[in-house]
Amino acid sequence: DAGITQSPRYKITETGRQVTLMCHQTWSHSYMFWYRQDLGHGLRLIYYSAAADITDKGEVPDGYVVSRSKTENFPLTLESATRSQTSVYFCASSGDVGNEQFFGPGTRLTVL
Amino acid sequence: RKEVEQDPGPFNVPEGATVAFNCTYSNSASQSFFWYRQDCRKEPKLLMSVYSSGNEDGRFTAQLNRASQYISLLIRDSKLSDSATYLCVVNNYSWGKFQFGAGTQVVVTP
């Protein structure tokens, strides 16, 4: 029972590089979310998706791009990484609006 | 003002004692409420949903006060393994609008 997985789990990159974080869920959940978590800020929503090909911005979308061509995958791309994007990134999914979210194990990203 | 606010703690609790803490929310249209547990910046895990009439799950009791716009979590007979950060989450049934509190840290000591 894989549930929701993220890859890579750890990533170090340099300023200006493009980075893609992967998220895959096996529950066929309609809703998927990307959050970042920084000390002092808690979880902040970057992007979310209600279904394949339906995405929308969250609280902190600048510098990020998402796509969702298949229900089970929701990749997050940092187009040109900046040091301020050093963070822990969590992907989550939910079966219905208002239902609890289930989180992946996170990706720790460091931008040098 | 943040939409969801929590006392960051830490709440230092002797093993076997009871601890309780609240979470306040600003959006009166909020409809669903949850408590999550997070260990050492690992992924948050659902602890329990919070229902209007209040609910229990073993040693954990959650309450909702809509009039004052807060939810609470009470942990009885605290165990060392209860040491974690507890996140409050509210949602107004808008699919992009899960609001997370920054968390309350609980440290259970022997």
Side-chain angles (χ1 to χ4, degrees), chain A residues 67-86:
Chain A
S67 62
R68 195 167 176 206
S69 58
K70 293 184 178 181
T71 300
E72 61 267 29
N73 296 324
F74 191 37
L76 175 74
T77 297
L78 288 67
E79 295 182 295
S80 178
T82 65
R83 289 180 181 170
S84 65
Q85 291 177 312
T86 293

Side-chain angles (χ1 to χ4, degrees), chain A residues 37, chain B residues 6 8 21 35-41 44-45 82-88 101-107:
Chain A
Q37 187 174 38
Chain B
Q6 296 184 249
F21 41 89
W35 283 105
Y36 279 72
R37 171 196 170 120
Q38 186 174 30
D39 297 282
C40 297
R41 299 192 86 198
K45 294 184 178 178
D82 294 334
S83 297
T85 297
Y86 292 84
L87 307 177
C88 164
T104 294
Q105 184 183 9
V106 172
V107 179

Side-chain angles (χ1 to χ4, degrees), chain B residues 84-100:
Chain B
T85 297
Y86 292 84
L87 307 177
C88 164
V89 185
V90 304
N91 178 264
N92 65 355
Y93 286 168
S94 172
W95 53 280
K97 296 299 183 184
F98 282 87
Q99 297 291 339
F100 284 79

Side-chain angles (χ1 to χ4, degrees), chain B residues 14-63:
Chain B
E15 196 174 6
T18 296
V19 61
F21 41 89
N22 295 337
C23 162
T24 59
Y25 60 95
S26 61
N27 186 349
S28 60
S30 297
Q31 296 291 336
S32 56
F33 308 88
F34 308 93
W35 283 105
Y36 279 72
R37 171 196 170 120
Q38 186 174 30
D39 297 282
C40 297
R41 299 192 86 198
K42 293 185 177 179
E43 75 270 27
K45 294 184 178 178
L46 179 68
L47 179 66
M48 57 197 302
S49 302
V50 185
Y51 302 120
S52 296
S53 56
N55 48 299
E56 268 189 31
D57 185 358
R59 298 180 293 106
F60 298 86
T61 300
Q63 297 281 353

Side-chain angles (χ1 to χ4, degrees), chain A residues 47-91:
Chain A
Y47 269 95
Y48 53 102
S49 169
D53 298 322
I54 301 176
T55 63
D56 207 347
K57 297 177 180 179
E59 181 185 354
V60 288
D62 292 343
Y64 303 95
V65 174
V66 293
S67 62
R68 195 167 176 206
S69 58
K70 293 184 178 181
T71 300
E72 61 267 29
N73 296 324
F74 191 37
L76 175 74
T77 297
L78 288 67
E79 295 182 295
S80 178
T82 65
R83 289 180 181 170
S84 65
Q85 291 177 312
T86 293
S87 187
V88 180
Y89 291 85
F90 290 106
C91 178

